[in-house]
Amino acid sequence: EVSVDGEVELLPSSDGAALWIADPASSETTLVQGAFGGTAAKTVRVAYRPRRSVQEITAYSVAETRSAYLVQTGVVTLEAAVRVEVYRAPRERFQLRLPKGFVVRALTLSQGELSYVQRGEQVDVVLDAPRRGVLGFRLRAERVTGEGQDKKGETQSKSELLSLSPLGLPDLERVSGVMGLASGSDTEVSFDGIKNLERTDLAALD
């Protein structure tokens, strides 16, 4: 038996001795015990290091988004590019939050494959493997807007109040980005109000 100060863990030994750590008598010492076959005397090397924390390392992720809404007769299209940086530990699951009424039409990852399931406004994304570092996502989503028909059966556009917001990534630690809005030649857009957004100069963007 060997008593070692502090909490330690054994390192792989090359001398063939069967060593193990017994229940410590206190938090200040660690008791190492061993069993040896044969009768020949020999030197036993005990290698150890301070016990490492078993606490799981949590990934820290930040993102920058560039998204644009195109409002046309009958449909609003969201195109977004998302750059995610994952630190500390790899991760394979992400969440996206879309504005109400939007449906994902395409979602890709530059560094590999992914799968996703949309439940209302939430999109659960699973990568083909846990990844760390820089990840690039591309998203296209659509929302159908109101259209009607007149008495002659011809399509007649209707005015509609839309609430549009930046693409959400609720399970990341920090998210920033830019959101733009454009309209088709046959569509007129007016603003009822803007909340929790700051205007930016397009000329200042990269």
Side-chain angles (χ1 to χ4, degrees), residues 17 26 32 42 53 68-69 72 77 83 91-92 99 111 124-126 139-141 148 161 182-183 190 194 196 205:
S26 69
V32 179
K42 62 177 182 178
S53 173
Y69 290 95
Q72 297 174 293
T77 303
R83 174 188 168 94
R91 60 181 298 172
E92 61 180 336
Q111 292 76 16
D124 296 317
V125 182
V126 181
L139 167 74
R140 181 169 60 85
L161 181 62
S183 62
S190 60
I194 300 176
N196 303 321
L205 300 178

Side-chain angles (χ1 to χ4, degrees), residues 47-102:
Y48 58 90
R49 64 185 174 194
R51 184 181 298 278
R52 295 173 296 182
S53 173
V54 297
Q55 181 178 3
E56 182 179 355
I57 299 177
T58 303
Y60 181 86
S61 307
V62 299
E64 181 179 2
T65 67
R66 297 288 178 96
S67 57
Y69 290 95
L70 176 59
V71 182
Q72 297 174 293
T73 301
V75 65
V76 181
T77 303
L78 167 62
E79 297 273 359
V82 183
R83 174 188 168 94
V84 178
E85 297 183 38
V86 181
Y87 300 97
R88 297 179 184 170
R91 60 181 298 172
E92 61 180 336
R93 296 181 180 273
F94 297 85
Q95 287 184 356
L96 304 179
R97 187 169 297 280
L98 303 178
K100 185 177 180 179
F102 279 80

